[in-house]
């Protein structure tokens, strides 16, 4: 579109005799509906470009990345609100007989992020 605009009779004189100073390019991590992975794991989530929320036919993805970040943040906030108080978590850890993992605190469950995204316009747009 921009290339066509530059050749318009009223615009062409602006560019005639000009010298290109640099080239521009975009690296696209292709994604789209068929590439969406499982979005959550214990204590974390894949959001935005990391999850491949690029609308490949339109080469657009900023709005989908931002919305996925908003949904992940809402899920993270809810998950953190549901975590036990530190004293309760320590008591539960003391009751376990197995060797504890390196991180002994509670882990936030971000599972609702996946279903929130699937119910949003992002999922519909990518489909």
């Amino acid at each position: 579109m921009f290339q066509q605009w530059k050749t318009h009779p009223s615009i062409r004189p602006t560019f005639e005799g000009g010298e290109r100073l640099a080239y521009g390019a975009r690296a696209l991590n292709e994604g789209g509906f068929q590439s969406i992975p499982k979005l959550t794991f214990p204590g974390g989530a894949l959001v935005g470009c990391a999850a491949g929320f690029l609308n490949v036919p339109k080469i657009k993805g900023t709005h989908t990345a931002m919305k996925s970040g908003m949904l992940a943040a809402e899920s993270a906030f809810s998950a953190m609100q549901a975590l036990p108080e530190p004293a309760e978590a320590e008591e539960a850890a003391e009751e376990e007989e197995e060797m504890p993992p390196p991180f002994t605190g509670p882990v936030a469950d971000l599972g609702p992020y996946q279903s929130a995204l699937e119910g949003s316009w992002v999922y519909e747009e990518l489909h």
Side-chain angles (χ1 to χ4, degrees):
M1 183 98 168
F2 183 63
Q3 190 66 28
Q4 186 178 7
W5 176 79
K6 291 188 300 185
T7 61
H8 190 276
S10 62
I11 303 300
R12 177 177 281 191
T14 305
F15 293 102
E16 284 181 358
E19 180 181 330
R20 185 181 347 259
L21 300 176
Y23 287 91
R26 270 176 75 170
L28 301 175
N29 55 336
E30 290 200 26
F33 184 77
Q34 74 282 359
S35 300
I36 298 174
K38 181 175 185 282
L39 300 175
T40 61
F41 50 90
L46 295 174
V47 181
C49 294
F53 295 136
L54 173 69
N55 187 335
V56 178
K58 293 183 180 180
I59 312 177
K60 296 199 181 271
T62 303
H63 62 301
T64 54
M66 289 174 63
K67 181 62 176 179
S68 71
M70 293 164 63
L71 293 169
E74 290 169 0
S75 295
F77 182 79
S78 296
M80 291 179 71
Q81 295 293 316
L83 289 175
E85 293 296 320
E88 293 173 22
E90 288 173 11
E91 288 173 14
E94 289 173 5
E95 292 175 11
E96 292 181 13
E97 293 180 18
E98 300 177 10
M99 185 171 176
F103 176 75
T104 58
V107 177
D109 175 24
L110 299 179
Y113 163 55
Q114 179 95 29
S115 55
L117 188 94
E118 289 173 1
S120 75
W121 58 263
V122 172
Y123 202 75
E124 197 172 304
E125 181 174 318
L126 294 176
H127 194 265

